[in-house]
Amino acid sequence: MADCVARVVARLRAGEYETEPFLHFPTDPAPDVTLHASLAGTDLAAVLGAAEEPHLLRAVHLRHADGADLTSLTMLPALGHVEVTAADVDLSPLAGLPLRTVRVAGGAVVDVPAWPRLVALDLGDARAANPRALPPAPFLTLHTDQWRALGSPPEGLAA
């Protein structure tokens, strides 16, 4: 454990992570900056349009998001956390966004794009289409079968 902590501290000192308060894997940002929505066929753009001050949203939790077009999330400048529950979802519109944490659940098989500031990726209840091509993240949650398929942990994990 001491080695793990030493590696994280070394990476912090090297500037690989920001030292803001959310470094500790934010599972739930403050409620006033989080949108929880059950889409079930509703257009995400319409949901965001009805939100008060969407430009302040730091987190979006989407349920029943099967086939949802996530493109409108790119218009949220403060967005750092996305959680999607869906059997089918395309994450490619989110490529390159400064997301810090991403969680996909619901059994979806997803191509995971690169996120330059990614700290935590949770695919424990989803499947990466190509587990060997996952973007680097210090905190990574995968289904047991995906860990076996990898053979060895990806470089850069915190533990």
Side-chain angles (χ1 to χ4, degrees):
M1 182 66 163
D3 289 338
C4 172
V5 172
R7 286 193 310 265
V8 170
V9 169
R11 291 179 76 181
L12 276 168
R13 288 185 177 142
E16 292 184 40
Y17 306 128
E18 292 183 15
T19 56
E20 62 186 63
F22 285 99
L23 176 66
H24 65 278
F25 190 115
T27 54
D28 260 334
D32 58 333
V33 293
T34 302
L35 172 72
H36 293 269
S38 180
L39 296 181
T42 305
D43 180 46
L44 177 58
V47 171
L48 290 173
E52 289 184 34
E53 302 185 277
H55 63 282
L56 298 178
L57 289 173
R58 295 185 65 179
V60 174
H61 296 223
L62 303 173
R63 303 289 179 259
H64 309 289
D66 296 324
D69 180 3
L70 303 181
T71 304
S72 52
L73 294 180
T74 63
M75 303 303 172
L76 305 176
L79 189 63
H81 175 84
V82 171
E83 184 171 323
V84 179
T85 302
D88 173 37
V89 66
D90 178 13
L91 299 177
S92 65
L94 307 180
L97 290 180
L99 297 176
R100 303 203 24 102
T101 62
V102 175
R103 180 175 188 269
V104 181
V109 176
V110 293
D111 284 311
V112 181
W115 292 295
R117 297 177 57 200
L118 190 65
V119 173
L121 176 62
D122 182 346
L123 299 176
D125 189 32
R127 297 282 190 272
N130 183 358
R132 295 189 188 281
L134 291 172
F139 300 97
L140 178 62
T141 304
L142 297 174
H143 188 272
T144 306
D145 296 342
Q146 291 193 311
W147 282 116
R148 285 188 192 121
L150 281 174
S152 63
E155 213 172 293
L157 288 181

